[in-house]
Amino acid sequence: MDNLEIANILNQIADLMDIKGENTFKINAYRKAARAIEELAENINEIYSKDKLKEIPGVGESIAEDIKELIEKGKCQRLKSLKEKIPAKLSELMDIKGLGPKKVAFLYKKFKITTVPQLKKLIGSHKLKKLFGWGEKSEQNILEGINLYKRFKERFPLGQIYPYAIALKEKLKKMPFVEQIEICGSFRRRKETIGDLDILVTSKNPKKMIDFFVNLPEIEKVNAKGATKVNVILKQGARRQNGVEADLRVVKPENFGAALHYFTGSKSHNIQIRKMGMERRLRINEYGVFKIKNHPVIRPGAPSNDGAKSKIKNLLRIGGREEKDIFRAVGLPFIPPEIRENEGEIEAAQKNNLPHLIKEKDIKGDLHLHSNWSDGENSILEIAKTCQKRGYQYMAITDHSSPLGIINGLNPSRILKQIETIKKINKKLRNFYIFSGIEVDINKDGSIFLPNKILKKIDLVVAGVHSSFRLSKEQMTKRVIKAIQNLNVDILAHPTGRLINKREPYEIDISAIIKEAQRTKTILEINAFWSRLDLNAPNARLAKENEVKLVISTDAHSLNHLNYLTFGVDTARRGWIEKKDVINTLSLNELLKFLKRKG
DNA sequence: GCCGTTTTCGGCCCGACTGTTTTCAGTCG
């Protein structure tokens, strides 16, 4: 069982306990552990074999025991006994918007509802609305929830939603009544997938602002509308972004910083910051930082002082206009949004040891590009001119060399021809250099598709897996290790082969690959194409910790794809990557020197 | 169930909105 499977089971346990009506904090403990495991870079089976399960934050005695059972037997007693009391299918009903644990439990107890079709039928009979606490609206809302259920199952890849979100932001910026605006949430943290858009604005007239917003042509449906908050579904965009959900929140200018921090998250980062505030007798919420005055100290461990917290009225506001006010209040420097995941950034900030995250402008060239010699759309010269316009000093043309016919790969004689062509173009260009490169397939047995005598003539060899994805983990790991042991291989492309929302990463022991990359001085790629983002952020961080150099490359097949660099940089930043970790931040001369190091 | 720089018990983030109610529970983020 892998990390995701274990996390899913823990989440299911939490859902079923929720429906059963167990203690909320116990349920949250399971959800917290599930989340921690989902975000682990290391494979949980390895952690288990080292007997270090309890070192995962949020995993204690009981949950470690559950995980152990799951790994050893593929099942666990706790889930089994829950399933005996509550049908497992009920946890799926909770994915329907508007249905939480209490309603699902009620529907099951009263009507034995366990599936979506049964629920639809029940609503059709109008038995629900006659019951105490349910009405016409409840029926309608559940029905709408069912219709949206499938549509919202998947999160949207960042790159798919990005242009759409930016356009909406620019449009809102020009709206009357809008002062400051920012899209917060996972979008601002630049997660690889986005569930919805959290739009934060300041306005002197929130009511008019909201009325204006809900009438925009981009809005398909208004789900909820209040004085300061509105939830809508956006219309399909030109690029298939069907019905993204958006929350718009209006705050006063003096609250902007606090709200920005609050709505950017992540949730567990925020909880941590609030806890630190509480230790300093501060209350931190989306309206600002408040000092608690004239109030008896609540000692942890002292007899509980029921209701004491809710009676706090003497709050003195000490900040919140700017985001840094929040950090300053708890004695921290500003933490960039991309690393606000409660994955050590708060501890690093406390020690004044935050990474100086790489920036897009640090990138001096693109080292994974396809021209019309293979499956790209543009000529080498066109690409070079565009790269030069972007301010780059160099690029590498890395067309395919592959047994796969569809990508029009280069054979040795075309490679030699291309090298000559690049030499000629280089003579024409000023202050710019084109590396002759290749993206060559790693064969099933780990050998390289091209002979070494050809590879030696190429400036930059990028090797990648493009076929036989379904090997066992041992075979795949061995295959890739053998490939990077080849002294002519400079870069390992998209090391896990995943396609976001489409294809899982192939089975591979990524920490073994990272260790071997360190030993053989092979560079690992962060492929910036938004459907790949591979290495992902946790793996990039693991590579950095093992002193492996990285390259951020677009894998562009057209000029427009060069813009995807930004998503690669985002991913690197989420992985705590600094300029010095990335080879295409080097100047041309530095890079030329650097590339001689292997072999 | 987890956690602990007041550490083995007591606390665990918290506010907005909806639908139904007439003071609040449920859901969401």
Coordinates of all heavy atoms in Angstrom, one line a residue, chain A residues 25 58 60 62-63 98 100 102-103 135 137-138 141 224-225 228-229 249 262 267 274 287 301 304 309, chain B residues 1-4 6-7 9-22 25-29:
Chain A
F25 N -12.7 15.5 18.0 CA -11.3 15.6 18.1 C -10.6 14.3 17.7 O -9.5 14.4 17.1 CB -10.8 16.1 19.5 CG -11.4 17.4 19.9 CD1 -12.4 17.5 20.9 CD2 -11.1 18.5 19.2 CE1 -12.9 18.7 21.2 CE2 -11.6 19.8 19.5 CZ -12.6 19.9 20.5
G58 N 1.3 13.7 14.0 CA -0.2 13.4 14.1 C -0.4 11.9 14.2 O -1.5 11.4 14.3
G60 N 0.2 8.6 16.3 CA 0.6 8.1 17.6 C 0.4 6.6 17.7 O 0.5 5.9 16.7
S62 N -2.1 4.5 18.4 CA -3.2 3.8 17.7 C -3.1 3.9 16.2 O -3.3 2.8 15.6 CB -4.6 4.4 18.1 OG -4.7 4.4 19.5
I63 N -2.9 5.1 15.7 CA -2.9 5.2 14.2 C -1.7 4.4 13.7 O -1.8 3.8 12.6 CB -2.9 6.7 13.8 CG1 -4.2 7.3 14.3 CG2 -2.8 6.8 12.3 CD1 -4.4 8.7 13.9
G98 N -23.3 20.0 0.8 CA -24.5 20.2 1.6 C -24.8 19.0 2.5 O -25.7 19.2 3.4
G100 N -23.4 16.7 5.2 CA -22.3 16.4 6.2 C -22.7 15.1 6.9 O -23.6 14.4 6.6
K102 N -23.9 14.5 9.9 CA -25.2 14.5 10.6 C -26.4 14.1 9.7 O -27.2 13.3 10.0 CB -25.5 15.8 11.3 CG -24.4 16.2 12.3 CD -24.6 15.3 13.6 CE -23.6 15.7 14.7 NZ -22.2 15.6 14.3
K103 N -26.4 14.8 8.5 CA -27.5 14.5 7.6 C -27.4 13.1 7.0 O -28.4 12.5 6.8 CB -27.5 15.6 6.5 CG -28.1 16.9 7.0 CD -28.2 17.9 5.9 CE -28.7 19.3 6.5 NZ -28.6 20.4 5.5
G135 N -36.9 21.1 4.7 CA -37.9 21.8 3.9 C -37.7 21.8 2.5 O -36.8 21.0 2.0
K137 N -36.2 23.8 0.4 CA -34.9 24.2 0.0 C -33.9 23.1 0.3 O -33.0 22.9 -0.5 CB -34.4 25.4 0.9 CG -34.6 26.7 0.1 CD -33.6 26.9 -0.9 CE -33.6 28.3 -1.6 NZ -32.7 28.3 -2.7
S138 N -34.0 22.3 1.4 CA -33.1 21.2 1.7 C -33.1 20.2 0.5 O -32.1 19.8 0.1 CB -33.5 20.5 3.0 OG -33.8 21.5 4.0
N141 N -31.4 21.7 -2.6 CA -30.0 21.8 -2.4 C -29.3 20.5 -2.6 O -28.2 20.4 -3.2 CB -29.6 22.4 -1.1 CG -29.9 23.9 -1.1 OD1 -30.0 24.5 -2.2 ND2 -30.0 24.5 0.1
A224 N -24.3 31.1 -2.5 CA -24.6 31.7 -1.2 C -24.2 33.2 -1.3 O -23.1 33.5 -1.9 CB -23.8 31.0 -0.1
K225 N -25.0 34.1 -0.7 CA -24.6 35.5 -0.8 C -24.9 36.1 0.5 O -26.0 36.1 1.0 CB -25.5 36.1 -1.9 CG -25.2 37.6 -2.2 CD -25.9 38.0 -3.5 CE -25.9 39.4 -3.7 NZ -27.1 40.1 -3.2
T228 N -20.7 40.1 3.3 CA -19.2 40.2 3.1 C -18.7 39.0 2.3 O -17.5 39.0 2.0 CB -18.4 40.2 4.4 OG1 -18.7 39.0 5.1 CG2 -18.9 41.4 5.2
K229 N -19.5 38.1 2.0 CA -19.0 36.8 1.4 C -20.0 36.3 0.4 O -21.2 36.3 0.6 CB -18.9 35.8 2.6 CG -18.1 34.6 2.3 CD -18.1 33.7 3.6 CE -17.7 32.3 3.3 NZ -17.6 31.5 4.5
R249 N -14.6 37.3 -1.0 CA -14.7 37.8 0.4 C -14.3 39.2 0.4 O -13.2 39.6 -0.2 CB -13.8 36.9 1.2 CG -13.8 37.2 2.7 CD -15.1 36.8 3.3 NE -15.1 37.1 4.7 CZ -15.0 36.2 5.6 NH1 -14.9 34.9 5.3 NH2 -15.0 36.6 6.9
Y262 N -5.1 34.7 6.4 CA -6.1 33.7 6.8 C -6.5 32.8 5.6 O -6.6 31.6 5.6 CB -7.3 34.3 7.5 CG -8.3 33.4 7.8 CD1 -8.2 32.6 9.0 CD2 -9.5 33.2 7.0 CE1 -9.2 31.7 9.4 CE2 -10.4 32.3 7.4 CZ -10.3 31.6 8.5 OH -11.3 30.7 8.9
K267 N -4.3 25.5 5.9 CA -5.1 25.3 7.2 C -4.1 25.0 8.3 O -4.2 25.6 9.4 CB -6.1 24.2 7.0 CG -7.2 24.2 8.0 CD -8.2 23.2 7.5 CE -9.4 23.2 8.5 NZ -10.5 22.4 8.0
R274 N -1.9 30.6 14.8 CA -2.9 31.0 15.8 C -2.5 30.4 17.2 O -2.6 31.1 18.2 CB -4.3 30.4 15.4 CG -4.9 31.2 14.4 CD -6.3 30.8 14.2 NE -6.9 31.5 13.2 CZ -8.2 31.7 13.0 NH1 -9.1 31.1 13.8 NH2 -8.7 32.4 12.0
Y287 N -9.6 39.2 10.8 CA -9.8 40.6 11.0 C -8.5 41.3 11.5 O -8.5 42.5 11.6 CB -11.0 40.9 11.8 CG -12.2 40.4 11.2 CD1 -12.9 39.3 11.7 CD2 -12.8 41.0 10.1 CE1 -14.0 38.8 11.1 CE2 -13.9 40.5 9.5 CZ -14.5 39.4 10.0 OH -15.6 38.9 9.4
G301 N -4.2 22.7 31.3 CA -4.0 21.7 32.4 C -4.9 22.1 33.6 O -5.2 21.3 34.4
S304 N -11.2 23.3 33.5 CA -11.6 24.0 32.3 C -12.5 25.2 32.7 O -13.3 25.0 33.6 CB -12.3 23.1 31.3 OG -13.7 23.2 31.5
K309 N -13.6 31.8 27.1 CA -13.1 32.3 25.9 C -14.2 33.2 25.2 O -13.9 34.2 24.7 CB -12.7 31.2 24.9 CG -11.4 30.6 25.3 CD -11.0 29.6 24.3 CE -9.6 29.0 24.6 NZ -9.3 28.0 23.6
Chain B
dG1 P -8.6 5.7 20.3 OP1 -8.3 4.6 19.6 OP2 -8.7 6.1 21.7 O5' -8.3 7.1 19.5 C5' -8.0 7.0 18.1 C4' -7.0 8.0 17.7 O4' -7.5 9.3 18.1 C3' -5.7 7.9 18.5 O3' -4.6 8.2 17.6 C2' -5.8 8.9 19.6 C1' -6.6 10.0 19.0 N9 -7.5 10.6 20.0 C8 -8.4 10.0 20.8 N7 -9.1 10.9 21.5 C5 -8.6 12.1 21.1 C6 -8.9 13.5 21.6 O6 -9.7 13.8 22.4 N1 -8.1 14.4 21.0 C2 -7.2 14.1 20.0 N2 -6.5 15.2 19.5 N3 -6.9 12.9 19.6 C4 -7.6 12.0 20.2
dC2 P -3.1 8.2 18.0 OP1 -2.3 7.8 16.9 OP2 -2.9 7.5 19.3 O5' -2.8 9.8 18.3 C5' -3.0 10.7 17.2 C4' -2.4 12.0 17.5 O4' -3.3 12.7 18.4 C3' -1.1 12.0 18.2 O3' -0.2 13.0 17.6 C2' -1.4 12.3 19.7 C1' -2.6 13.1 19.6 N1 -3.5 13.0 20.7 C2 -4.0 14.1 21.4 O2 -3.7 15.2 21.0 N3 -4.9 14.0 22.4 C4 -5.3 12.7 22.8 N4 -6.1 12.6 23.8 C5 -4.8 11.6 22.1 C6 -3.9 11.7 21.1
dC3 P 1.3 13.0 17.9 OP1 2.0 13.4 16.7 OP2 1.7 11.8 18.7 O5' 1.4 14.2 19.0 C5' 0.8 15.5 18.6 C4' 0.9 16.4 19.9 O4' -0.2 16.0 20.7 C3' 2.1 16.2 20.7 O3' 2.9 17.4 20.6 C2' 1.7 15.9 22.1 C1' 0.2 16.2 22.1 N1 -0.6 15.2 22.9 C2 -1.6 15.7 23.8 O2 -1.7 16.9 23.9 N3 -2.3 14.8 24.5 C4 -2.1 13.5 24.3 N4 -2.9 12.7 25.1 C5 -1.2 13.0 23.4 C6 -0.4 13.9 22.7
dG4 P 4.5 17.3 21.0 OP1 5.2 18.1 20.0 OP2 4.9 15.9 21.4 O5' 4.4 18.1 22.4 C5' 3.8 19.4 22.5 C4' 3.8 19.8 23.9 O4' 2.9 19.1 24.7 C3' 5.2 19.6 24.6 O3' 5.7 20.7 25.2 C2' 4.9 18.4 25.6 C1' 3.4 18.4 25.7 N9 2.9 17.1 25.8 C8 3.4 15.9 25.2 N7 2.6 14.9 25.4 C5 1.5 15.3 26.1 C6 0.4 14.7 26.6 O6 0.1 13.5 26.5 N1 -0.5 15.6 27.2 C2 -0.3 16.9 27.4 N2 -1.2 17.6 28.0 N3 0.8 17.5 27.0 C4 1.7 16.7 26.3
dT6 P 6.5 26.5 28.9 OP1 5.4 26.5 27.9 OP2 7.3 27.6 29.2 O5' 6.0 25.9 30.2 C5' 6.2 24.6 30.6 C4' 5.4 24.3 31.9 O4' 4.8 25.5 32.3 C3' 4.3 23.3 31.6 O3' 4.3 22.4 32.7 C2' 3.1 24.1 31.5 C1' 3.4 25.2 32.6 N1 2.6 26.4 32.3 C2 1.6 26.7 33.2 O2 1.2 25.9 34.1 N3 0.9 27.9 32.9 C4 1.2 28.8 32.0 O4 0.5 29.8 31.8 C5 2.3 28.5 31.1 C7 2.7 29.4 30.0 C6 3.0 27.3 31.3
dT7 P 4.8 20.9 32.6 OP1 5.3 20.6 33.9 OP2 5.7 20.8 31.4 O5' 3.4 20.1 32.4 C5' 2.9 20.1 31.1 C4' 2.6 18.6 30.8 O4' 3.3 18.2 29.5 C3' 3.2 17.6 31.8 O3' 2.4 16.5 32.0 C2' 4.5 17.1 31.1 C1' 4.1 17.1 29.7 N1 5.2 17.3 28.7 C2 5.4 16.4 27.8 O2 4.7 15.4 27.6 N3 6.5 16.7 26.9 C4 7.4 17.7 27.0 O4 8.3 17.9 26.2 C5 7.1 18.7 28.0 C7 8.0 19.9 28.2 C6 6.1 18.5 28.9
dC9 P -2.6 11.9 34.8 OP1 -1.7 11.8 36.0 OP2 -3.6 10.8 34.5 O5' -3.4 13.2 35.0 C5' -4.6 13.4 34.3 C4' -4.8 14.9 33.9 O4' -3.9 15.2 32.9 C3' -6.2 15.2 33.5 O3' -6.4 16.5 33.9 C2' -6.1 15.0 32.0 C1' -4.7 15.3 31.6 N1 -4.0 14.4 30.7 C2 -3.0 15.0 29.8 O2 -2.8 16.2 29.9 N3 -2.4 14.2 29.0 C4 -2.6 12.9 29.0 N4 -1.9 12.1 28.1 C5 -3.6 12.3 29.8 C6 -4.2 13.1 30.7
dG10 P -7.9 17.1 34.0 OP1 -7.9 17.8 35.3 OP2 -8.8 16.0 33.7 O5' -8.0 18.2 32.9 C5' -7.1 19.3 32.8 C4' -7.0 19.8 31.4 O4' -6.4 18.9 30.6 C3' -8.4 20.1 30.8 O3' -8.3 21.3 30.0 C2' -8.6 18.9 29.8 C1' -7.2 18.6 29.4 N9 -6.9 17.3 28.9 C8 -7.5 16.1 29.3 N7 -7.0 15.1 28.7 C5 -5.9 15.6 27.9 C6 -5.0 15.0 27.0 O6 -4.9 13.8 26.8 N1 -4.1 15.9 26.5 C2 -4.2 17.2 26.7 N2 -3.3 17.9 26.0 N3 -5.0 17.8 27.5 C4 -5.9 17.0 28.0
dG11 P -9.5 22.1 29.6 OP1 -9.6 23.3 30.4 OP2 -10.7 21.2 29.4 O5' -9.1 22.6 28.1 C5' -7.8 23.1 28.0 C4' -7.3 22.8 26.6 O4' -7.0 21.4 26.5 C3' -8.3 23.1 25.5 O3' -7.7 23.9 24.5 C2' -8.7 21.8 25.0 C1' -7.4 20.9 25.2 N9 -7.7 19.5 25.3 C8 -8.6 18.9 26.1 N7 -8.6 17.6 26.0 C5 -7.5 17.3 25.1 C6 -7.0 16.1 24.6 O6 -7.4 15.0 24.8 N1 -6.0 16.3 23.7 C2 -5.5 17.6 23.3 N2 -4.5 17.6 22.5 N3 -6.0 18.7 23.8 C4 -7.0 18.5 24.7
dC12 P -8.5 24.6 23.4 OP1 -7.9 26.0 23.1 OP2 -10.0 24.5 23.7 O5' -8.2 23.8 22.1 C5' -6.9 23.7 21.6 C4' -6.8 22.6 20.6 O4' -7.1 21.3 21.3 C3' -7.9 22.7 19.5 O3' -7.2 22.6 18.2 C2' -8.8 21.4 19.7 C1' -7.8 20.5 20.4 N1 -8.5 19.4 21.1 C2 -8.1 18.1 21.0 O2 -7.2 17.8 20.2 N3 -8.7 17.1 21.7 C4 -9.7 17.4 22.5 N4 -10.3 16.4 23.2 C5 -10.1 18.8 22.7 C6 -9.5 19.7 22.0
dC13 P -7.7 23.4 16.9 OP1 -9.0 22.8 16.5 OP2 -6.6 23.4 16.1 O5' -8.0 24.9 17.4 C5' -6.9 25.8 17.4 C4' -7.4 27.1 16.9 O4' -7.7 27.0 15.5 C3' -8.7 27.6 17.5 O3' -8.6 29.0 17.7 C2' -9.8 27.2 16.5 C1' -9.0 27.4 15.2 N1 -9.4 26.6 14.0 C2 -9.5 27.2 12.8 O2 -9.2 28.4 12.7 N3 -9.9 26.5 11.7 C4 -10.3 25.2 11.9 N4 -10.7 24.5 10.8 C5 -10.2 24.6 13.2 C6 -9.8 25.3 14.2
dC14 P -9.8 29.7 18.5 OP1 -9.2 30.9 19.1 OP2 -10.5 28.7 19.4 O5' -10.8 30.1 17.4 C5' -10.3 31.0 16.4 C4' -11.5 31.2 15.4 O4' -11.6 30.0 14.6 C3' -12.8 31.4 16.0 O3' -13.5 32.5 15.3 C2' -13.6 30.1 15.8 C1' -13.0 29.8 14.4 N1 -13.2 28.4 13.9 C2 -13.4 28.2 12.6 O2 -13.4 29.1 11.8 N3 -13.6 26.9 12.1 C4 -13.7 25.9 13.0 N4 -13.9 24.7 12.5 C5 -13.5 26.1 14.4 C6 -13.3 27.4 14.8
dG15 P -14.2 33.6 16.0 OP1 -13.2 34.5 16.6 OP2 -15.3 33.0 16.9 O5' -14.9 34.4 14.9 C5' -14.1 34.8 13.8 C4' -14.8 34.6 12.5 O4' -14.9 33.2 12.2 C3' -16.3 35.1 12.5 O3' -16.5 35.8 11.3 C2' -17.1 33.8 12.5 C1' -16.2 32.8 11.8 N9 -16.4 31.4 12.1 C8 -16.4 30.8 13.3 N7 -16.6 29.5 13.3 C5 -16.7 29.3 12.0 C6 -17.0 28.0 11.3 O6 -17.1 26.9 11.8 N1 -17.0 28.2 9.9 C2 -16.8 29.3 9.3 N2 -16.9 29.3 8.0 N3 -16.6 30.5 9.9 C4 -16.6 30.4 11.2
dA16 P -17.9 36.5 11.0 OP1 -17.5 37.9 10.5 OP2 -18.8 36.3 12.1 O5' -18.4 35.7 9.7 C5' -17.6 35.7 8.6 C4' -18.4 35.0 7.5 O4' -18.5 33.6 7.8 C3' -19.8 35.5 7.3 O3' -20.1 35.6 6.0 C2' -20.7 34.4 8.0 C1' -19.8 33.2 7.8 N9 -19.9 32.2 8.9 C8 -19.8 32.5 10.3 N7 -19.9 31.4 11.0 C5 -20.1 30.4 10.1 C6 -20.3 29.0 10.3 N6 -20.3 28.4 11.5 N1 -20.5 28.2 9.2 C2 -20.5 28.8 8.0 N3 -20.3 30.1 7.7 C4 -20.1 30.8 8.8
dC17 P -21.5 36.3 5.5 OP1 -21.2 37.0 4.2 OP2 -22.1 37.0 6.6 O5' -22.4 35.0 5.2 C5' -21.9 34.1 4.2 C4' -22.8 32.9 4.1 O4' -22.6 32.1 5.3 C3' -24.3 33.2 4.1 O3' -24.9 32.7 2.9 C2' -24.9 32.6 5.4 C1' -23.8 31.6 5.7 N1 -23.7 31.2 7.2 C2 -23.8 29.9 7.6 O2 -24.0 29.0 6.7 N3 -23.7 29.6 8.9 C4 -23.5 30.6 9.8 N4 -23.4 30.3 11.1 C5 -23.4 32.0 9.4 C6 -23.5 32.2 8.1
dT18 P -26.4 32.9 2.5 OP1 -26.5 33.0 1.1 OP2 -27.0 34.0 3.4 O5' -27.0 31.5 3.0 C5' -26.4 30.3 2.5 C4' -27.2 29.1 3.0 O4' -26.9 28.9 4.4 C3' -28.8 29.3 2.9 O3' -29.3 28.2 2.2 C2' -29.2 29.4 4.4 C1' -28.1 28.7 5.1 N1 -27.8 29.2 6.5 C2 -27.7 28.3 7.5 O2 -27.9 27.1 7.4 N3 -27.4 28.9 8.8 C4 -27.2 30.2 9.0 O4 -27.0 30.6 10.2 C5 -27.3 31.1 7.9 C7 -27.2 32.6 8.1 C6 -27.6 30.6 6.7
dG19 P -30.8 28.3 1.7 OP1 -30.9 27.6 0.5 OP2 -31.3 29.7 1.8 O5' -31.5 27.5 2.9 C5' -31.1 26.2 3.1 C4' -31.8 25.7 4.4 O4' -31.3 26.4 5.5 C3' -33.4 26.0 4.4 O3' -34.0 24.8 4.8 C2' -33.5 27.1 5.3 C1' -32.4 26.9 6.3 N9 -31.9 28.1 7.0 C8 -31.8 29.4 6.5 N7 -31.2 30.2 7.4 C5 -31.0 29.4 8.5 C6 -30.4 29.8 9.8 O6 -30.0 30.9 10.2 N1 -30.3 28.7 10.6 C2 -30.8 27.4 10.3 N2 -30.6 26.5 11.3 N3 -31.3 27.1 9.1 C4 -31.4 28.1 8.3
dT20 P -35.6 24.7 4.6 OP1 -35.8 23.3 4.2 OP2 -36.1 25.8 3.8 O5' -36.1 24.8 6.1 C5' -35.8 23.8 7.1 C4' -35.7 24.4 8.4 O4' -34.8 25.5 8.4 C3' -37.0 25.0 9.0 O3' -37.7 24.0 9.7 C2' -36.5 26.1 9.9 C1' -35.1 26.3 9.5 N1 -34.8 27.7 9.2 C2 -34.1 28.5 10.1 O2 -33.7 28.1 11.1 N3 -33.9 29.8 9.7 C4 -34.4 30.4 8.6 O4 -34.1 31.6 8.3 C5 -35.1 29.6 7.7 C7 -35.7 30.1 6.4 C6 -35.3 28.3 8.0
dT21 P -39.1 24.6 10.4 OP1 -39.7 23.3 10.9 OP2 -39.8 25.4 9.4 O5' -38.6 25.5 11.6 C5' -37.9 24.9 12.7 C4' -37.2 26.0 13.5 O4' -36.4 26.9 12.6 C3' -38.0 27.0 14.3 O3' -38.4 26.4 15.5 C2' -36.9 28.0 14.6 C1' -36.0 28.0 13.3 N1 -36.2 29.2 12.5 C2 -35.5 30.4 12.8 O2 -34.8 30.4 13.8 N3 -35.8 31.4 12.0 C4 -36.6 31.5 10.9 O4 -36.8 32.5 10.3 C5 -37.3 30.3 10.6 C7 -38.3 30.2 9.5 C6 -37.1 29.2 11.4
dT22 P -39.4 27.3 16.3 OP1 -39.6 26.5 17.5 OP2 -40.6 27.7 15.4 O5' -38.6 28.7 16.7 C5' -37.4 28.6 17.4 C4' -36.9 29.9 17.8 O4' -36.7 30.8 16.7 C3' -37.9 30.7 18.8 O3' -37.2 31.1 19.9 C2' -38.4 31.9 18.0 C1' -37.3 32.1 16.9 N1 -37.8 32.6 15.6 C2 -37.2 33.7 15.1 O2 -36.4 34.4 15.7 N3 -37.7 34.1 13.9 C4 -38.7 33.5 13.1 O4 -39.0 33.9 12.0 C5 -39.2 32.3 13.7 C7 -40.3 31.5 13.0 C6 -38.7 31.9 14.9
dA25 P -27.6 24.4 18.9 OP1 -27.8 23.9 20.2 OP2 -26.4 25.2 18.5 O5' -27.7 23.1 17.9 C5' -29.0 22.7 17.4 C4' -28.8 22.2 16.0 O4' -28.7 23.3 15.1 C3' -27.5 21.3 15.8 O3' -27.9 20.2 14.9 C2' -26.6 22.3 15.1 C1' -27.5 23.2 14.3 N9 -27.1 24.6 14.1 C8 -26.4 25.4 15.0 N7 -26.2 26.6 14.5 C5 -26.6 26.6 13.2 C6 -26.6 27.5 12.2 N6 -26.1 28.7 12.3 N1 -27.2 27.1 11.0 C2 -27.7 25.9 10.9 N3 -27.7 24.9 11.8 C4 -27.2 25.3 12.9
dG26 P -26.8 19.1 14.6 OP1 -27.6 17.9 14.5 OP2 -25.7 19.3 15.4 O5' -26.4 19.5 13.1 C5' -27.4 19.7 12.1 C4' -26.8 20.2 10.8 O4' -26.5 21.6 11.0 C3' -25.5 19.5 10.5 O3' -25.6 19.0 9.2 C2' -24.4 20.6 10.5 C1' -25.3 21.9 10.3 N9 -24.7 23.1 10.9 C8 -24.3 23.3 12.2 N7 -23.9 24.5 12.5 C5 -24.0 25.2 11.3 C6 -23.8 26.5 10.9 O6 -23.3 27.4 11.6 N1 -24.1 26.8 9.6 C2 -24.6 25.9 8.7 N2 -24.9 26.3 7.5 N3 -24.9 24.6 9.0 C4 -24.6 24.3 10.3
dT27 P -24.4 18.2 8.5 OP1 -25.0 17.2 7.6 OP2 -23.5 17.7 9.5 O5' -23.7 19.3 7.6 C5' -24.4 20.0 6.7 C4' -23.5 21.1 6.1 O4' -23.3 22.2 7.1 C3' -22.1 20.6 5.7 O3' -22.0 20.8 4.3 C2' -21.2 21.5 6.5 C1' -22.0 22.7 6.9 N1 -21.6 23.4 8.1 C2 -21.4 24.8 8.0 O2 -21.5 25.4 7.0 N3 -21.0 25.4 9.2 C4 -20.8 24.7 10.4 O4 -20.5 25.3 11.4 C5 -21.0 23.3 10.4 C7 -20.9 22.5 11.7 C6 -21.4 22.7 9.3
dC28 P -20.7 20.3 3.5 OP1 -21.1 20.0 2.2 OP2 -20.0 19.4 4.4 O5' -19.8 21.7 3.5 C5' -20.4 22.8 3.0 C4' -19.5 24.0 3.1 O4' -19.4 24.4 4.5 C3' -18.0 23.6 2.8 O3' -17.6 24.3 1.6 C2' -17.2 24.0 4.0 C1' -18.2 24.9 4.8 N1 -18.0 24.7 6.3 C2 -17.8 25.9 7.0 O2 -17.7 27.0 6.5 N3 -17.6 25.8 8.4 C4 -17.7 24.6 8.9 N4 -17.5 24.5 10.3 C5 -17.9 23.4 8.2 C6 -18.0 23.5 6.9
dG29 P -16.3 23.9 0.8 OP1 -16.5 24.2 -0.6 OP2 -15.8 22.6 1.3 O5' -15.2 25.0 1.4 C5' -15.5 26.4 1.4 C4' -14.5 27.1 2.2 O4' -14.8 26.9 3.6 C3' -13.1 26.7 2.0 O3' -12.3 27.8 1.9 C2' -12.7 25.9 3.3 C1' -13.6 26.6 4.3 N9 -13.9 25.7 5.5 C8 -14.1 24.4 5.5 N7 -14.3 23.9 6.7 C5 -14.2 25.1 7.5 C6 -14.3 25.2 8.9 O6 -14.5 24.3 9.8 N1 -14.1 26.5 9.3 C2 -13.8 27.6 8.5 N2 -13.6 28.8 9.1 N3 -13.7 27.4 7.2 C4 -13.9 26.2 6.8

